[in-house]
Amino acid sequence: ESHHLDYKMMLSIIKVESSFDQSMVSSTGDLSVAQVNYEHWAPEFKRLGYPKLDKEKLKTDIGYSVKIMADILEIMAHRHKKDKLWYARYHSGTPSKKIAYAQKVSNELNLIEENEILNSKEKINSLIAELTRLKNSNDVSIDKVDEVIVNLTYLGSLIDWKMKEEIKHKMFIKNELLASNGKNSSI
């Protein structure tokens, strides 16, 4: 929150980088769940006046790793304001690698958002089932319960419609971004 970053984007990057494995060390020496390149970022943090990076803590402390990741993403967001795929520079600034990485992050982000929607739908369905059981009780107004069930059913159908529209919109935006980044490799 203090970095004004989308936690779902960060989760998507972590999933792509390490599949949430804190002990992960890449072939290039990137460490932790956040896959921070210590050799690159330690001198950069020093140059920028950030607190010194602790390599051992980076290897063992998930909270610390994620905080450092947020610091790095904030630096990148600031440096590359004009780049719509700035977050993909977490992996690489090379256009072809950046675009491929952005696609992976986007896929993970879509999965997270779809799961959020499915969880909402499950909660609505559970409420409808509970209300249906309640209708058999003499303590409630059947008409009121039916009214709430109708409204919840309508809400569920709105969520379905919104999900389909958002998927279409995201695919359009994603394809547009990837196409524009592919044409303008200087970004």
Side-chain angles (χ1 to χ4, degrees), residues 11 13 18 22 24-25 27 34 39 43 46 64 72 83 106 109-110 120 126 134 142 161 165 175 181-182 187:
L11 287 171
I13 290 172
S18 69
Q22 177 64 15
M24 175 77 109
V25 178
S27 60
E39 302 307 320
K46 183 178 180 181
Y64 179 75
I72 292 168
D83 185 354
S106 179
L109 184 58
N110 287 339
S120 295
S126 292
L134 242 163
I142 292 174
W161 175 80
E165 291 301 310
N175 290 336
N181 265 272
I187 292 181

Side-chain angles (χ1 to χ4, degrees), residues 6-161:
D6 180 358
Y7 75 94
K8 291 182 272 186
M9 178 196 58
M10 289 183 66
L11 287 171
S12 299
I13 290 172
I14 291 170
K15 173 67 173 150
V16 170
E17 288 290 332
S18 69
S19 290
F20 301 97
D21 181 359
Q22 177 64 15
S23 65
M24 175 77 109
V25 178
S26 74
S27 60
T28 57
D30 300 346
L31 306 170
S32 84
V33 72
Q35 289 294 279
V36 174
N37 186 314
Y38 179 83
E39 302 307 320
H40 172 79
W41 286 103
E44 188 65 6
F45 271 41
K46 183 178 180 181
R47 186 183 74 78
L48 294 170
Y50 280 69
K52 182 181 178 185
L53 280 184
D54 184 331
K55 189 173 187 177
E56 290 310 308
K57 195 171 181 182
L58 195 59
K59 291 178 186 178
T60 59
D61 187 334
I62 292 174
Y64 179 75
S65 299
V66 172
K67 184 221 173 288
I68 297 304
M69 175 190 188
D71 290 341
I72 292 168
L73 286 169
E74 182 179 50
I75 292 166
M76 291 179 170
H78 180 73
R79 282 184 183 166
H80 306 286
K81 292 177 190 171
K82 294 182 181 180
D83 185 354
K84 293 178 181 176
L85 299 176
W86 64 267
Y87 62 89
R89 290 175 180 269
Y90 192 80
H91 177 72
S92 177
T94 304
S96 61
K97 290 180 181 178
K98 182 179 77 168
I99 291 169
Y101 185 78
Q103 287 174 324
K104 289 178 185 177
V105 171
S106 179
N107 290 339
E108 291 301 329
L109 184 58
N110 287 339
L111 287 173
I112 289 170
E113 290 175 348
E114 286 173 22
N115 281 332
E116 281 184 332
I117 291 168
L118 291 174
N119 286 338
S120 295
K121 291 269 302 169
E122 277 183 32
K123 288 176 184 176
I124 288 170
N125 290 336
S126 292
L127 280 171
I128 290 171
E130 188 62 32
L131 287 168
T132 303
R133 281 192 289 277
L134 242 163
K135 278 179 26 176
N136 297 328
S137 167
N138 293 330
D139 299 335
V140 295
S141 165
I142 292 174
D143 290 339
K144 292 290 183 186
V145 171
D146 282 340
E147 184 180 336
V148 173
I149 289 172
V150 166
N151 287 326
L152 286 172
T153 303
Y154 178 68
L155 179 61
S157 66
L158 282 178
I159 289 172
D160 288 340
W161 175 80

Side-chain angles (χ1 to χ4, degrees), residues 157-181:
S157 66
L158 282 178
I159 289 172
D160 288 340
W161 175 80
K162 186 169 174 48
M163 187 167 95
K164 288 174 189 170
E165 291 301 310
E166 282 185 11
I167 288 170
K168 284 185 215 173
H169 181 71
K170 282 181 183 178
M171 290 304 293
F172 174 78
I173 296 295
K174 176 179 158 184
N175 290 336
E176 195 174 74
L177 272 174
L178 294 174
S180 71
N181 265 272

